[in-house]
Amino acid sequence: ALSAARKGVKNFDDLPRDVQYVTLSLVWTCGPNGFMKFKDFRRALSKRNFVLASVALRDSLWFSQVQKERAKNHYNLLKNYK
């Protein structure tokens, strides 16, 4: 999961740990190929725009497929990150 996260988000190692956690969770859940389809999410992270990343998650099919509590936690963690 770590190598796929680093491949998909070039600045992965420079992101806050909580954001890395959300990213790794996505890679683990969707697999490396599925994670690469989160283009808006990955683009937002590359710009350190965590609000936009949270919106990309919320608007994804993933958000409706995983446990609601987990999806909301990931969304809120990104949205509220300073």
Side-chain angles (χ1 to χ4, degrees), residues 28-41:
W28 186 82
T29 302
C30 302
N33 292 333
F35 175 69
M36 295 305 285
K37 295 177 184 177
F38 284 80
K39 292 178 181 168
D40 293 338
F41 174 79

Side-chain angles (χ1 to χ4, degrees), residues 11-68:
N11 61 334
F12 175 82
D13 290 326
D14 298 325
L15 296 174
R17 293 236 187 249
D18 290 338
V19 177
Q20 290 178 356
Y21 165 76
V22 171
T23 304
L24 288 170
S25 178
L26 277 176
V27 175
W28 186 82
T29 302
C30 302
N33 292 333
F35 175 69
M36 295 305 285
K37 295 177 184 177
F38 284 80
K39 292 178 181 168
D40 293 338
F41 174 79
R42 294 186 301 111
R43 188 177 305 114
L45 289 186
S46 73
K47 297 176 182 176
R48 296 183 64 89
N49 187 334
F50 305 125
V51 171
L52 189 57
S54 71
V55 170
L57 279 188
R58 184 197 62 204
D59 293 346
S60 72
L61 181 59
W62 170 88
F63 194 82
S64 64
Q65 291 177 331
V66 298
Q67 293 174 333
K68 291 216 182 281

